[in-house]
Each structure stands twice: as C-alpha cells, then as structure tokens.
Amino acid sequence: METEFTPWLSLGGGMMIGASAVLLMATNGRIAGISGLTSKLFARDSDGEARGIAALFVLGLLLAAPLWLFVSGGWPQQWVPSNPLLMGLAGLLVGFGATYGNGCTSGHGVCGISRGSARSIVATLTFMTTAFATVFILRHVIGA
C-alpha cells in the first residue's frame, strides 16, 4: 500500500487543528480532546453549556468532509479496511487506549504537549511509538 505525502494540506490541517484547540481554550477554558468532548454529549451529569460546546465541536468534525467536497469538488480520499471484525477490534483498542490513558491523541498530543503536561508527553510518545511499530510490522514484516 502506498500513501501520498501532502505537506501543504497536512500543514494547513495541522494549523486548523491548532487554531481550533486554542480558540476552544481561549473562549471556554476547555481542552479540545475529542474523546472527552464526545463523552460530554452522552454524560448524564454534563451541564447544558458543556454539552452544547461539545456538540458544536463534534458537529464541526462531521462537517469537515462535506465542506471539503464543497470547496474542492471531490470527496477526500481515504482508504478504510473492509473487514468489519478488524474495524471493530481497532475501535475497541482505540476506546480502551483513550480510557486507560485518560485522553486521546488530540487531547494529549495537541493540547497536553502545548501545556507542557508530563503525562501528555509520555502518553503521546507511547501512542506514537506504538503507531510507528504497527505500521512497520504491517508494511515490512507481514506485508499487508
């Protein structure tokens, strides 16, 4: 499997992620961790303001692909495995990791590191090392 490197799109996307994290922190004092924001949508004890902010943030994530279609005239290219068992296992592992690590990649990697959180730095190093090892094993050892 070959992936296309798109430095300018990646830089633009990273800048938008960073700007949204700063905007959410500056206006509401909240960390833009997707797992935390998503859990606020379903938590019974979440106040109305927190739930509304979380809903708007998640809605923005869901509208990103249709916005890309509107701007570029085509859907974003993405490859997703067609194996439902593999997708379910991956989802469970991501959910377990976000719960066990007290946050997700966006909360720790974008917001936590920028705040100088030692816990977030360790968490980010852990999930990035695991991701690098997984890609290496899948592409160069197994050959998937």
Side-chain angles (χ1 to χ4, degrees):
M1 172 180 46
E2 180 113 5
T3 54
E4 182 181 340
F5 179 58
T6 56
W8 295 113
L9 286 176
S10 302
L11 179 63
M15 290 170 62
M16 290 192 323
I17 290 169
S20 67
V22 168
L23 186 64
L24 187 62
M25 178 61 81
T27 58
N28 296 89
R30 300 186 192 280
I31 292 176
I34 305 309
S35 62
L37 288 168
T38 303
S39 69
K40 283 192 185 355
L41 291 175
F42 303 104
R44 278 190 246 157
D45 61 346
S46 207
D47 64 29
E49 181 187 0
R51 185 172 280 135
I53 291 166
L56 287 173
F57 202 91
V58 171
L59 180 64
L61 292 172
L62 296 173
L63 291 177
L67 179 62
W68 180 263
L69 173 66
F70 178 74
V71 171
S72 71
W75 288 103
Q77 296 298 310
Q78 184 171 342
W79 179 83
V80 178
S82 59
N83 183 332
L85 183 62
L86 183 63
M87 294 294 289
L89 178 62
L92 287 173
L93 288 172
V94 169
F96 172 77
T99 302
Y100 186 71
N102 291 320
C104 59
T105 55
S106 54
H108 284 303
V110 176
C111 301
I113 288 178
S114 64
R115 292 181 303 119
S117 167
R119 183 177 77 167
S120 290
I121 292 168
V122 170
T124 304
L125 287 172
T126 301
F127 63 68
M128 291 303 293
T129 301
T130 304
F132 294 149
T134 301
V135 170
F136 179 80
I137 290 168
L138 286 175
R139 289 194 178 180
H140 302 289
V141 176
I142 296 173

